[in-house]
Amino acid sequence: MADMSCIMVIFGGTGDLTRRKLLPAIYNLYTDGLLPENFAVVAVGRRDYSHEVYRNLAREAVANFSRKSIDDEKWSVLAQRIYYKKSEFHDDQGYRSLKAFLDRLDTNYHTGGNRVYYLAVAPEYFEVIAGQLYAHDMAKNDKCWQRVVIEKPFGRDLKSAHYLNHKLSQVFDESHIYRIDHYLGKEMLQNIMVIRFANGLFEPIWNNRYIDNVQISIDETVGVENRGDYYERAGALRDMVQSHMLQLLSLIAMEPPVDLTTDSIRDEKVKVLKSLRSITRETVMDSVVRGQYGKGFVDGKPVVAYRQEERVSPDSNTETFVALKVHVDNFRWAGVPFYLRTGKRLADRSAKIVIQFKQLPGILYFKEYGPLEPNLLVIWIQPREGVYLQFNAKKPGQKYSIIPVHMDFCQNCALYNNSPEAYERLLYDVMRGDSTLFTRWDEIESSWRFVDSIVEAWHGRNDDVLIYPSGTWGPEAANELLKKDGFKWWNVTPQGVGGHTDL
Ligand SMILES: NC(=O)c1ccc[n+]([C@@H]2O[C@H](COP(=O)([O-])OP(=O)(O)OC[C@H]3O[C@@H](n4cnc5c(N)ncnc54)[C@H](OP(=O)(O)O)[C@@H]3O)[C@@H](O)[C@H]2O)c1
């Protein structure tokens, strides 16, 4: 059993991520009995707070954002282990004082010098903080472990990612760098490998002989909210495709690993990313659709256009929507298009993967009843978690008619099932020293290489940034992208695919 004893040092302890995700995750791990006996949290921020003031703010954050309601007795025990330390990220004296403080806590909590340094800060501070930790001898990994957790985005292109990685590697060995893609902590992502590799039903047909196309979509109804300045520099391609969507694709397309060790799994994922066919200036218009939300209605309420959002340029051409047709050039997937779609202010909020299977030869029923609906396997990721299978069956009755029906396994519908948040699993894994659900450098490198090919292909043009009304499924061109291949987006809901009756 790994020694999980540690002090978790959160840089950006007063930030949004800490309040909404990290503190609630720590609380839930505590109530589930998953925190080590020897443990403390030190939140680092530049505000003038005492430990007590910070604990009160932390309580408020947990009460607002935790999946479980707060239990006062449990909270008061945990709160005693939460500390606040004031320091600016650049301030030498601040690190000296932080180091002395952590050393003292080591004695009180028997944490032996083990550290999780969580950088919940804007990316421009990653290098500064890592450099300061090195300069103050706080990342030695000598007779103890000291790990760093890096939030996304890891760079904004291959060049900047390389630079950042180079800087981090001067301080931490790759095995001590935990690059977060919080999607990997989601229950259903961990389930993809189980569904594929623990079922004789699926794996034998998981290839280009039986699969027509794969659709991966992360649809959001929210707009850019208060992140306009970040989003203007990122856009949907960098923000979502480089990270979450390519991670989903690699799990769906990977070969079975030789075993379940971290590196065996990551080796297979990286092979998929390396097999992605680059998009060029010649192919970009046929393979990528980008758009930006205009004004419209979401959930019946009027919303403004992206260009009217705070901290967004009124003539911005940043894409808030992107749909892509991607090819994985290997023997398993040759000829199978993978369609990816993500956007803000769309008609519905959901993340899912739809596998569309090939039709049987049009012989028996086809002659009588015309084309049948294809078999679909849907992996729901959020907010619904589960698996859905559509197949054809005879409608009961005297008349012979064939209709698509479905079986639906919903993992988080039952009241008793309160799935852990992704950050709970990820924090737990960092303390255990298991980096399977974090991205290795070569995964980041290959995904940026692919994304950069699109950015380069777009260079010098923006006439293809299509405005779509908020509350719709994006630009019509995204439908055309599939239509010209004879496919359509499957906007499956738990009730089925729009328009058909169930048994
Ligand atoms: N928020 C999310 O849900 C989310 C989701 C995914 C990824 N992320 C990533 O997580 C990271 C943090 O995001 P966030 O939304 O939490 O940002 P945020 O709310 O702006 O928080 C930034 C934190 O850094 C502190 N800070 C900034 N400059 C500092 C300085 N010079 N010295 C000391 N402290 C300083 C801020 O202190 P003050 O409170 O004093 O300003 C605050 O605690 C980013 O890399 C972001 O991309 C966030």
Side-chain angles (χ1 to χ4, degrees):
M1 181 74 181
D3 179 14
M4 289 171 54
S5 306
C6 65
I7 302 178
M8 189 171 291
V9 185
I10 305 178
F11 290 92
T14 54
D16 184 62
L17 182 74
T18 305
R19 269 185 297 120
R20 288 195 310 120
K21 299 291 179 188
L22 304 185
L23 290 166
I26 291 168
Y27 173 73
N28 285 318
L29 285 173
Y30 175 67
T31 58
D32 286 346
L34 294 173
L35 285 185
E37 189 74 17
N38 303 324
F39 178 77
V41 176
V42 176
V44 181
R46 57 186 161 181
R47 303 182 191 206
D48 219 354
Y49 291 155
S50 64
H51 301 313
E52 225 29 65
V53 168
Y54 187 77
R55 285 169 190 160
N56 288 336
L57 293 169
R59 190 195 182 286
E60 205 178 297
V62 173
N64 284 338
F65 299 112
S66 160
R67 71 185 163 89
K68 291 195 242 170
S69 51
I70 199 161
D71 173 314
D72 276 326
E73 214 170 297
K74 288 186 174 147
W75 172 256
S76 60
V77 178
L78 177 65
Q80 291 314 306
R81 289 170 178 254
I82 298 179
Y83 298 87
Y84 180 79
K85 193 84 184 108
K86 184 182 173 201
S87 176
E88 283 275 341
F89 295 151
H90 291 88
D91 178 18
D92 271 322
Q93 178 49 34
Y95 287 86
R96 268 194 288 279
S97 158
L98 175 64
K99 183 172 191 294
F101 184 63
L102 295 176
D103 290 345
R104 277 205 304 281
L105 292 186
D106 269 340
T107 313
N108 295 352
Y109 291 103
H110 311 291
T111 37
N114 294 347
R115 307 277 184 264
V116 172
Y117 295 116
Y118 200 117
L119 308 196
V121 302
E124 57 264 33
Y125 294 116
F126 294 161
E127 182 189 342
V128 177
I129 298 171
Q132 289 282 19
L133 292 174
Y134 178 74
H136 292 87
D137 231 5
M138 297 168 75
K140 276 200 304 194
N141 276 296
D142 178 19
K143 296 193 196 121
C144 55
W145 54 257
Q146 287 157 342
R147 300 173 185 144
V148 67
V149 184
I150 303 282
E151 263 298 336
K152 82 160 219 200
F154 197 92
R156 74 177 304 275
D157 52 20
L158 182 57
K159 193 170 163 216
S160 55
H162 255 295
Y163 176 83
L164 172 60
N165 199 53
H166 172 66
K167 291 288 168 190
L168 286 175
S169 319
Q170 291 175 334
V171 182
F172 295 95
D173 181 73
E174 170 69 27
S175 63
H176 298 127
I177 303 176
Y178 289 70
R179 299 177 194 83
I180 287 243
D181 182 329
H182 74 271
Y183 256 67
L184 290 176
K186 289 186 186 290
E187 276 293 325
M188 286 310 295
L189 262 79
Q190 296 162 51
N191 219 339
I192 291 175
M193 274 182 60
V194 179
I195 291 164
R196 287 192 54 195
F197 303 133
N199 288 296
L201 182 63
F202 297 128
E203 185 48 27
I205 57 168
W206 208 263
N207 56 50
N208 58 2
R209 263 188 85 186
Y210 299 101
I211 291 179
D212 236 357
N213 71 82
V214 177
Q215 302 178 11
I216 302 176
S217 52
I218 305 183
D219 305 323
E220 298 181 293
T221 50
V222 290
V224 71
E225 298 186 304
N226 55 2
R227 296 170 72 215
D229 42 2
Y230 159 72
Y231 205 81
E232 278 285 88
R233 285 175 281 126
L237 183 71
R238 289 187 171 96
D239 187 44
M240 299 297 282
V241 176
Q242 181 272 331
S243 48
H244 311 324
M245 301 209 83
L246 291 184
Q247 284 295 326
L248 286 172
L249 187 149
S250 64
L251 286 164
I252 287 292
M254 69 191 270
E255 294 300 317
V258 290
D259 55 36
L260 293 176
T261 57
T262 303
D263 273 336
S264 299
I265 294 171
R266 288 161 149 193
D267 286 348
E268 295 308 330
K269 284 169 64 197
V270 96
K271 280 186 210 160
V272 173
L273 297 169
K274 284 183 175 167
S275 310
L276 294 177
R277 190 184 302 168
S278 291
I279 288 174
T280 63
R281 282 187 90 77
E282 288 69 44
T283 59
V284 71
M285 294 307 284
D286 281 337
S287 349
V288 186
V289 172
R290 55 177 165 161
Q292 187 189 78
Y293 62 82
K295 65 181 187 205
F297 289 85
V298 172
D299 295 331
K301 295 196 187 96
V303 292
V304 298
Y306 177 72
R307 290 178 187 171
Q308 266 79 62
E309 299 276 18
E310 267 177 47
R311 285 174 275 176
V312 167
S313 158
D315 52 6
S316 169
N317 281 310
T318 301
E319 81 285 355
T320 60
F321 174 98
V322 66
L324 300 90
K325 175 171 148 182
V326 173
H327 285 281
V328 180
D329 281 336
N330 64 20
F331 275 31
R332 184 188 284 258
W333 295 113
V336 180
F338 284 72
Y339 299 104
L340 316 185
R341 176 183 76 190
T342 185
K344 292 196 175 292
R345 289 273 190 245
L346 296 185
D348 198 9
R349 169 185 176 242
S350 87
K352 64 179 176 305
I353 298 163
V354 181
I355 315 284
Q356 177 176 339
F357 291 92
K358 288 191 169 156
Q359 298 277 24
L360 290 171
I363 302 172
L364 293 175
Y365 295 108
F366 185 86
K367 280 192 191 150
E368 294 269 335
Y369 307 106
L372 301 176
E373 291 290 318
N375 294 141
L376 300 177
L377 176 74
V378 181
I379 302 177
W380 310 110
I381 293 162
Q382 73 174 26
R384 188 184 181 82
E385 297 170 3
V387 180
Y388 166 112
L389 183 65
Q390 171 175 290
F391 54 102
N392 291 307
K394 178 185 169 296
K395 190 172 182 181
Q398 304 304 333
K399 278 203 317 194
Y400 216 98
S401 70
I402 295 179
I403 52 165
V405 295
H406 64 259
M407 293 194 294
D408 188 24
F409 157 60
C410 177
Q411 168 161 292
N412 63 342
C413 291
L415 279 178
Y416 59 81
N417 191 334
N418 189 355
S419 296
E421 282 267 346
Y423 278 92
E424 293 172 39
R425 173 66 198 251
L426 296 172
L427 288 182
Y428 181 63
D429 280 0
V430 180
M431 291 186 283
R432 289 195 307 149
D434 182 345
S435 51
T436 312
L437 302 180
F438 296 79
T439 37
R440 199 169 65 186
W441 163 242
D442 50 357
E443 293 177 72
I444 299 265
E445 189 178 31
S446 304
S447 48
W448 272 127
R449 188 164 285 126
F450 174 72
V451 163
D452 277 4
S453 76
I454 301 171
V455 175
E456 274 161 38
W458 276 341
H459 185 70
R461 64 180 311 160
N462 49 38
D463 54 331
D464 58 324
V465 181
L466 307 168
I467 304 293
Y468 57 95
S470 285
T472 65
W473 287 111
E476 182 49 33
N479 294 329
E480 293 299 321
L481 185 71
L482 277 70
K483 204 168 170 189
K484 62 191 182 209
D485 296 339
F487 301 128
K488 63 177 181 182
W489 293 104
W490 294 104
N491 290 323
V492 192
T493 69
Q495 285 72 44
V497 177
H500 69 69
T501 342
D502 290 309
L503 278 174

